[in-house]
Structure formats: structure tokens, C-alpha cells
Amino acid sequence: MYRDMTCGEPRGTDVGKIITLSGWVHRRRDHGGLTFIDIRDFSGLMQVVFNEDTATDAHALAGDLRSEWVIQVKGAVQERRPGAENPDLPTGAVELIASELTILNRSSTPPFEVEDDVNVADETRLRYRFVDLRRPRMYKNLKLRHDVIQSARTYMTNTGFLEIETPILLKSTPEGARDYVVPSRVHPGSFYALPQSPQQLKQLLMVSGVDRYFQFAHCFRDEDLRADRQPEHTQIDLEMSFVEQEDVLQVLEGLYTTMVRETRPDLEVPTPFPRMAYAEAIERYGSDKPDIRFGMEVARLTEIVSDSGFGVFESIASAGGAIRAIVAPGCADYTRRQTDALIEFVKSSGAQGLIPMHISPDVTSLEEVTLDDIRSPIRNHLSLETLKAMAEAAGAGPGDLMLIVAGPESVVNTAISNLRGEMGRRLELADPNVFSFLFVVDFPLFEWDDDRDGWAAMHHVFSSPRPEDVELLDSDPGVVLGQLYDLVLNGVELGSGSIRIIDRAVQEKVFELIGHSPEQVEERFGQLLRAFEYGAPPHGGMGLGLDRIVMLLAGEENIREVIAFPKTQAAVDPLFDAPGVITDEQLRELSIRVVNPGG
RNA sequence: GGCCCCGUGGUGUAGCGGUCCAACACGCCGCCCUGUCAAGGCGGAGAUCGGCAGUUCGAAUCUGCUCGGGGUCGCCA
């Protein structure tokens, strides 16, 4: 038996007990004849006292101890001397008077201290992840992730869902992201692909009569990484039969309010979750995943400035571009240095630049504003009337700072919505204790793909158009809205879903519009279409990023912090040094020859 | 693929043309120390400043390339 309780457990009520603890040496404070050791495990810290007079052997051995050695200590729980209590520790009222010490294992000097506030390079942390994860914050994140999964699993079970695992080794269905592939030994030249999501499998389960499916599904996408994107991530994947869009949204609202309530009861979750049309989200926020905890909506100035006489605006407007702005309230006193930083920010979001427009706080209303009250690089290119009209359209007044971005519509929307998020953070406009979920609905079914010069599915090819839009598939595919929905939380996209197509004619129309040949359709979707010939129930579902919701619940800004063994931006695991080369023998078995290795 | 930021003992930083065979804190090693909890005191070891090439009388410092890390645009149905 290694221990009677964990290191964080002993309390005043345990005084007088003889107990054994096991854990890591967190810190040693050696006073000569008296040595203190903080012994640590996942549950916390306990102070152990080694006294030369009363436990000579143990005290001598304690002198050898070093950080992160693994030890076992037996002793009596004792109340601390008056004045020696440590109110910062849950165990701080007591200490263990050691009588016996066993060294269970030694440790090399750790590369960094096991403390929450140490600032260590990400790569070093990942290389020594086993040390990194000993930090209380990381353990807390792992525990939170477990609790979230547990909460979701219970809720789904209670709501009639069946948890079903689906294959990791399956087939490439080139569509969307790049696949990770696995060569087949038995079938030379053939490859499995790891699932980007279990999309077709869960639909097959609906045809199989499962009725309600869910899974914590590992999904693999060979695309570039971001703070919120890893090459493999976990989705709460679900699918339901005999449902309409609103039925799915109801389940999601219940699931997410329950998860938050059970894991972060201190947070406020406004319900019901509002629904916002995609078009409205783009118009008001320039984004399909707006943070609705604060206003600062994005104004559209294109029409106001399209005939303003200012060539830059006119040419952008006539080319179909957009001129949009947000208002930073009370920020007219921003210095050149501050606005330059914002310009750099929007450039990093892909925009050409940013035009600041300061409105003096020395007037009482917009009507009184003269050219002298406006500070902006465009002041001399536009009439006072136009400048005022712009301010009015954006809702800017005296003392405010307008931030204007111009260019192609999509570029402007990306940049200005990112800028809105950044200003929201700088001005602390969003309450961190409020979790504002939002359903974005009525997404277009198709988006124009310039590269392929054709229509592409916005979500995926099985997403159903709204019934009232079906006839538009022939005449005007671009305006067809789908039974497509996203769940968004505080500016973060948590997941997407849809009601699926089960009508053969509609499905063929969609394939045709996207430009899939019958051969491609058979190759990629044959199995599902065949299943659909045998009685597919109406169904729909969703895939939701688990890592992202845990990240938000943990108050972290990077999903690496809530994944036990994540990868670097170059998709490398520094601990395993993965990916790595394989032996010639392995290559031979797989009938693979590496061309241009290392290049 | 593009853009931005970072790379100096184990860790985190300072130094930004010569006064640097590199400074500070923590950590590490040794000695002392019976009430500390970021223990304390004294002493010590530890870095060819990511790599390569160049500019210069002289490079941690300037330039180019390159490698690694982070952020981001594209990409991610």
C-alpha cells in the first residue's frame, strides 16, 4: 500500500492519525536539523517535517531529496504551530511529522519548475509534456475536459442517444480538407483515409434505424494549424432521425446549457439561444461567428462614399467592393502610435490598411462638427457633408474614433470583424463571465469557388436546401438557403450541422450544380446513396468541437492547453518527434517508395 | 504559399557595433543553519548569444539566407 490518502486531502480532522503519503517532492526547505518537504500529487500539496532529533534516519535521507523525486512518507498528522499555518494551502492547518521516508524513484533536474506561473516556450513544454502536465493548471484543464465529456455523455444518454464508435481507417472522400492517409499492406497501392468527420457513417446509422447517435469522434484534417485548430481534434458528433432543424437546435441548447451549468456554475448563459440569419450576421458584424456580448456593429458606408469624389473609395465601390466601419467609443484621443498598431492588426487580417477618423470631443453634437474637428487621412479628400454622413451612418459622435476598412467584400469583412473582436478585448466590452451562445441559421447552400470556377457546397453535399428554396436550385443557386446551422459562442465557432437531403432528385441536382460527375459521385458517396435506396428517414445532426468548448470553459486562448499531447504549428509532436521516417522493411511491406526524401 | 513577432547558461530575461572571454533572477552543485512554506546566509559551476554566409579594424548587436517556435491571411465541405 503506497498511501492512505492523497497529498491534498489531510485536514484538521485528521490530526493524530498515522498516515502514509506518496507523491513528488515539490520543494525542499532545509534548515539543518529540521527539513521541510512539500509533497505533491494531482490533488495538492502537503508539508512534511523531518526532525533530526525524533526521526534521525528519515531526516538524514531527506537531505538527499531533490525536486520531482518520487517518495513515500509515513508519519503523524499534526496541527501546525500557532502562526505557522499556511492559509494559501487547503492542507495548510496541518503538517505530517515524518517517521519513515522511502525514495520510490529519483528524477533528473526538471527542465522547468512545476508551477502555474512559469513562462516557458511552448516547444519546451511539449517536449517535456509529462512535466508540464504536472502543473495544477494543466491537471485542472484535463479534469475539466473529463467533466465536460462526462456531462455531455450523461445528457445525451438521458436524451435517448446511443454512443456508437465508427472506423478510423476508412476511405478518402476528397471534399473539403486534405486527408491523412494510411497505406494498406494487404492491398498494395491502396490507402485508407482517416475521417475528417464521421459524416457518412452517422447518416448510415440513421438509415440503420439507430434513431439517435452520438460519439466523441476523433477527426483528422491535414490543413495548417491555428490557435484553435489541430490536425486531429475531437468532435461531439450527433445525428437524429425524424427531426426538423428546430428539434436539433433544442437538443443542442439543452446539451450546452447543461455542460456549462455542471462544469462552470459561476457562468451566466442567456437562454434561449438567439437565432440569427447568416445574412444578418454578415451585415451587422461582418462575420458568421459574431461575439454578441457587445455591440460595436459594423456599418456599411459603401453607398455614402461611392460618388464622393474620392478616387480610392469610388474605384473600390465600382469594383463591387465594400467600405465598412466600426466605432470605438471615446477613443478619439488615440495616438498615432495606437492607430498604427490597429493598422498593423488589420493588415495581419489581410486588409490593405485601415483609415482612422477621430472626431473631436470638443463639440456637443455631430451637427456642430466642422472640418477642424475631424482628424483623419481622408479629411481633405471628402466633403464635410460626406464625412458627417459617414459618421452618422456608423453611429459615431464627438469623442469617438471611427475605424474604416475598404476593399473586396470578403477581405473587408474578415479584417473588420477581427478588428471588432480586438477592440472589444482592448476596451473590455465583453463580460468574460457571460457565455452568449448563438445559432447562426439560414446559411447559403452554395458558395462560389473561384479556383474551380463553379459552385461548392458551403457545408457539405448532403445538406438540404430549405423546402421553399428547392425550386431556386435551377434558376439561382447562389440565393438558395440551406437547413444549415452553426453554433457560435462568444465569437468562436463551435460547430456546424444541417438537415440532410433524402430526396433523390434534390440530391442529384446538388451534385450536378457542384459539378460532380456520376463517376465521382459513385466513388465518393456510392455507399450512402445505395443505403438511401433502402428507406432513409428524415434526419439531421451536427458536429461540435470539443476542444474549443473546453478551451472556453477553461478560460484558455489555445486548444493546446486542453489537449494532453498536442502538436506544434508545423504539426510536429516534439515529445515523440513525430512524424518520423519508417524502416526500408516497412516501406517494402507497404509497397511504397519514397521519392525525394527530405525534400 | 504570403505577412508579422520571437530565438542569449537548465528556465525566463537584460545587453542592440568596441567598456561583453556576456549581466540579472530562478534553478543547479557544495557548506552552514531546528519553524520554513518563493526559507535564509556564504561559496561555486554553467552560454562558442539557433545555424551559415557577409558588412566591419572589430558582431550577441548590422545585412542576407536558413532552421526552429508563436500569431495570422490563404487554407480548414
Side-chain angles (χ1 to χ4, degrees), chain A residues 508-554:
Chain A
E508 283 174 359
K509 186 79 67 186
V510 168
F511 284 140
E512 187 187 319
L513 274 164
I514 294 174
H516 284 340
S517 70
E519 293 73 27
Q520 286 173 318
V521 169
E522 173 56 30
E523 169 70 15
R524 297 173 190 182
F525 311 115
Q527 55 284 339
L528 186 60
L529 296 175
R530 246 180 323 281
F532 277 7
E533 291 170 12
Y534 292 85
H539 63 284
M542 194 141 185
L544 299 134
L546 176 71
D547 312 276
R548 288 183 183 176
I549 182 67
V550 177
M551 172 184 84
L552 292 168
L553 288 166

Side-chain angles (χ1 to χ4, degrees), chain A residues 263-283:
Chain A
T263 61
R264 284 291 307 275
D266 56 308
L267 296 175
E268 184 190 329
V269 179
T271 54
F273 299 174
R275 275 76 166 155
M276 186 184 295
Y278 170 85
E280 182 184 349
I282 296 293
E283 202 48 39

Side-chain angles (χ1 to χ4, degrees), chain A residues 360-468:
Chain A
S360 168
D362 300 332
V363 288
T364 52
S365 72
L366 201 53
E367 289 74 55
E368 296 174 24
V369 166
T370 67
L371 273 181
D372 290 338
D373 299 314
I374 292 173
R375 180 156 61 90
S376 174
I378 55 171
R379 188 187 73 156
N380 297 328
H381 297 281
L382 295 164
S383 68
L384 179 61
E385 289 66 39
T386 305
L387 292 168
K388 280 188 178 179
M390 290 167 65
E392 181 160 12
D400 292 342
L401 173 66
M402 265 178 81
L403 299 166
I404 304 160
V405 180
E409 173 93 30
S410 62
V411 173
V412 169
N413 284 340
T414 298
I416 205 152
S417 59
N418 286 348
L419 180 65
R420 175 177 174 270
E422 174 68 12
M423 293 311 294
R425 276 186 292 278
R426 287 187 184 217
L427 303 175
E428 296 180 350
L429 299 177
D431 185 340
N433 295 312
V434 175
F435 268 31
S436 283
F437 289 92
L438 169 71
F439 286 121
V440 177
V441 300
D442 293 343
F443 276 81
L445 201 55
F446 305 103
E447 57 187 344
W448 188 257
D449 183 344
D450 284 330
D451 294 339
R452 286 176 53 248
D453 198 30
W455 294 107
M458 186 94 164
H459 182 52
H460 66 71
V461 292
F462 297 110
S463 294
S464 173
R466 299 195 307 179
E468 61 267 41

Side-chain angles (χ1 to χ4, degrees), chain A residues 75-334:
Chain A
V77 178
Q78 191 178 81
E79 211 165 303
R80 292 200 188 185
R81 296 179 175 189
E85 303 91 348
N86 186 341
D88 296 333
L89 289 180
T91 61
V94 293
E95 59 194 5
L96 189 69
I97 307 301
S99 53
E100 292 173 33
L101 169 65
T102 308
I103 294 172
L104 298 174
N105 223 332
R106 291 158 192 261
S107 168
S108 299
T109 300
F112 48 83
E113 291 175 72
V114 180
E115 289 284 353
D116 278 346
D117 55 356
V118 292
N119 168 23
V120 184
D122 272 44
E123 196 193 3
T124 310
R125 291 179 55 199
L126 293 186
R127 193 177 300 284
Y128 296 94
R129 191 62 156 178
F130 44 87
V131 175
D132 191 43
L133 292 177
R134 290 179 194 166
R135 298 159 61 203
R137 173 178 137 200
M138 297 307 287
Y139 182 83
K140 194 168 149 245
N141 287 352
L142 293 177
K143 170 76 161 60
L144 174 68
R145 186 176 177 119
H146 165 85
D147 291 343
V148 169
I149 290 173
Q150 207 62 4
S151 171
R153 176 171 278 136
T154 302
Y155 182 87
M156 297 304 278
T157 302
N158 292 343
T159 315
F161 285 79
L162 220 56
E163 184 171 3
I164 299 174
E165 293 162 277
T166 54
I168 296 296
L169 294 176
L170 213 59
K171 191 180 175 185
S172 174
T173 57
E175 180 93 22
R178 229 173 267 117
D179 286 316
Y180 278 101
V181 296
V182 177
S184 164
R185 172 183 58 84
V186 183
H187 303 282
S190 288
F191 295 81
Y192 299 98
L194 309 184
Q196 296 177 23
S197 80
Q199 184 59 41
Q200 291 192 45
L201 293 153
K202 65 178 176 179
Q203 293 193 242
L204 285 164
L205 287 171
M206 294 303 101
V207 183
S208 307
V210 164
D211 200 73
R212 289 184 168 198
Y213 141 96
F214 84 103
Q215 177 183 195
F216 299 100
H218 283 94
C219 302
F220 305 86
R221 294 174 189 179
D222 187 5
E223 298 292 345
D224 289 346
L225 287 79
R226 288 285 189 283
D228 61 354
R229 273 163 35 191
Q230 283 273 311
E232 54 182 304
H233 73 286
T234 306
Q235 283 190 356
I236 304 175
D237 192 46
L238 61 96
E239 195 76 11
M240 308 164 72
S241 289
F242 303 109
V243 289
E244 296 171 336
Q245 175 167 314
E246 193 54 33
D247 299 316
V248 180
L249 301 192
Q250 289 295 337
V251 167
L252 290 167
E253 182 167 322
L255 172 63
Y256 277 82
T257 50
T258 301
M259 284 190 326
V260 176
R261 178 163 25 86
E262 292 184 351
T263 61
R264 284 291 307 275
D266 56 308
L267 296 175
E268 184 190 329
V269 179
T271 54
F273 299 174
R275 275 76 166 155
M276 186 184 295
Y278 170 85
E280 182 184 349
I282 296 293
E283 202 48 39
R284 290 174 61 190
Y285 301 100
S287 168
D288 61 1
K289 47 182 165 74
D291 186 341
I292 56 168
R293 286 174 300 175
F294 62 98
M296 199 185 272
E297 296 191 11
V298 180
R300 190 175 287 279
L301 308 178
T302 317
E303 283 69 35
I304 296 171
V305 299
S306 59
D307 287 321
S308 59
F310 181 38
V312 174
F313 284 168
E314 288 189 351
S315 60
I316 286 170
S318 64
I323 294 98
R324 309 200 65 179
I326 55 172
V327 177
C331 293
D333 60 348
Y334 263 37

Side-chain angles (χ1 to χ4, degrees), chain A residues 571-593:
Chain A
V572 164
D573 181 320
L575 177 51
F576 281 78
D577 200 21
V581 295
I582 59 176
T583 65
D584 289 344
E585 176 57 25
Q586 285 176 298
L587 287 171
R588 248 192 312 280
E589 278 191 337
L590 296 168
S591 309
I592 287 179
R593 185 175 299 131

